[in-house]
Amino acid sequence: MAQIDLNSDLGESFGPWPMGDDAAMLAIVTSANIACGFHAGDPAGILRTLREAAARGVAVGAHIGYRDLAGFGRRNMAVGYDDLFAETIFQIGALQGLAKAAGTRVSYVKPHGALYNTIAHDAAQASAVIAGVLAVDPALPLMALAGAPVVAQARDAGLQVICEAFADRGYLPDGRLVQRGTPGATIHDPALIAARMLRLAREGVIEAIDGQDIRLEAQSICVHGDNPAAVAIARQLREDLVAGGIALRAVTG
């Protein structure tokens, strides 16, 4: 039976400002990328989400990002190697401490937002993140954009890589994501999203924005948790994948 991981970005609420519905998403996904406080999340809220993930047996990943609360980590930043290396270690370590207190553990690392997109193709920033992960624990896999140069770079450095596809994002013919704010960047129809991801899980193929089919190696599918339709999208995606004969399992446990 074909299988795939279903993940979402969680733990992003900040004080009295909620972001998404973590409890509902944790009933659907198999892995949770938990904010580490740099782009979103406060310690108490992160701990609550970790406890809920532990209670539901959902795998936990460190969702590291640029130090950019105001921009939600979605603004490009020119961060030097030493700073990015240390900030990677800092964020993973912070989440490891909270995860231990919650009765779970960090089992992979996934960069967030602009950092994720930058290291996909920027070897310099990617090298700092990769080195940071290796310094904390060489056994921690890196979740990265399927087909991007960072996949080979991380593997060459000795990291396991979890290749990821995005359920609700449009793709360019070269495998890159359509830039946010441009037409086709985000897909909102739950049925269309589910159909695209079922095909990806079965055939390893996704349709690009120009109608061209592109091949993607993907072990995990991400559903963004920071929009009002996230839970409905994730629920239909899970139901359609299971109905289509796809087993949902975390890549790491």
Side-chain angles (χ1 to χ4, degrees), residues 29 45 51 62 66 77 79 97 153 184 194 200 202 208 230 247:
V29 299
R51 285 173 172 158
Y66 289 133
M77 293 189 168
V79 183
Q153 185 178 353
L200 177 66
R202 283 175 169 169

Side-chain angles (χ1 to χ4, degrees), residues 51-111:
R51 285 173 172 158
E52 183 72 17
R56 292 188 174 275
V58 174
V60 166
H63 202 33
I64 64 172
Y66 289 133
R67 189 188 294 269
D68 181 27
L69 283 175
F72 197 62
R74 287 180 174 163
R75 297 184 291 192
N76 292 326
M77 293 189 168
V79 183
Y81 180 96
D82 290 346
D83 285 334
L84 191 51
F85 171 73
E87 290 176 359
T88 296
I89 295 169
F90 186 93
Q91 292 178 82
I92 297 170
L95 197 70
Q96 284 178 326
L98 288 167
K100 183 176 181 180
T104 185
R105 65 183 178 87
V106 174
S107 55
Y108 63 95
V109 177
K110 176 186 169 181

Side-chain angles (χ1 to χ4, degrees), residues 169-184:
R169 293 293 306 278
Y171 278 80
L172 296 171
D174 63 2
R176 291 181 297 129
L177 298 176
V178 178
Q179 186 176 357
R180 286 185 179 273
T182 59

